[in-house]
Amino acid sequence: MWKAFLSATKDRRLETFLLNAGDQKLQSAAIDNGYRIYDELGPGLFGNVYEVVLAERLTRDGLKVERQRPVPITVDDQTFDDGFRCDLLVEEKLLIEIISADHLLPIDSQRVTTYLRLMNLPMGLRINFGAPSFKQGVRRIRNGHAT
């Protein structure tokens, strides 16, 4: 009986580890490509420019990327099909919110947290291409409510 329990526990740990490793690869691909785009184009363009280029680069890397995907929300038992649109959704797992601003407000990170919760996604990236350096513009955001 214990052997079956330990085996099941190990399988779950391994599954969790493998899922996290896959998530890390998605984040790394997005961050690496984002850095190259920031280095090539520089800061200050409109966010949609960075969005288009990042989506193309990730697609070229063999990843499934959706741009401006409509996300339904339900309020008071009423569903709104176009509640909001996420900038990029990679492999149905990684939400990327693109910003191009010289300074950010707390709501910019809170928005990503809310999107993650509503979409039931484990993680997201907020990339601000308007920051003085790419490193200062990237923030990983985890969803504490994902199931």
Side-chain angles (χ1 to χ4, degrees):
M1 181 170 142
W2 283 105
K3 285 184 180 180
F5 173 77
L6 289 174
S7 176
T9 303
K10 287 180 185 175
D11 289 344
R12 277 187 292 233
R13 285 186 195 154
L14 179 60
E15 182 180 354
T16 301
F17 173 77
L18 291 174
L19 287 173
N20 287 339
D23 293 346
Q24 291 289 356
K25 286 183 180 181
L26 292 178
Q27 285 186 32
S28 293
I31 291 170
D32 291 347
N33 279 296
Y35 175 77
R36 285 195 287 281
I37 292 165
Y38 184 93
D39 193 44
E40 291 170 26
L41 300 178
L45 298 173
F46 286 116
N48 64 329
V49 174
Y50 300 109
E51 178 186 321
V52 169
V53 177
L54 182 56
E56 172 58 31
R57 298 266 175 101
L58 292 172
T59 300
R60 198 181 318 158
D61 286 349
L63 298 172
K64 179 185 172 200
V65 180
E66 293 179 75
R67 288 187 56 232
Q68 295 298 316
R69 177 179 170 179
V71 179
I73 61 169
T74 302
V75 178
D76 297 331
D77 295 325
Q78 186 174 4
T79 299
F80 301 91
D81 291 331
D82 202 5
F84 66 92
R85 293 179 180 268
C86 63
D87 288 346
L88 298 176
L89 183 61
V90 183
E91 296 288 325
E92 298 284 330
K93 293 182 183 179
L94 176 65
L95 171 82
I96 302 174
E97 186 70 10
I98 306 288
I99 301 170
S100 183
D102 56 357
H103 69 281
L104 296 176
L105 301 172
I107 193 68
D108 293 315
S109 293
Q110 293 167 351
R111 181 181 311 112
V112 176
T113 302
T114 300
Y115 287 1
L116 292 173
R117 181 176 48 81
L118 292 172
M119 296 174 73
N120 197 31
L121 293 174
M123 68 182 156
L125 293 173
R126 186 207 66 214
I127 303 177
N128 179 13
F129 284 95
S133 72
F134 183 77
K135 184 177 179 178
Q136 290 174 322
V138 175
R139 176 146 185 234
R140 297 172 197 242
I141 300 173
R142 293 198 101 26
N143 178 6
H145 300 294
T147 56

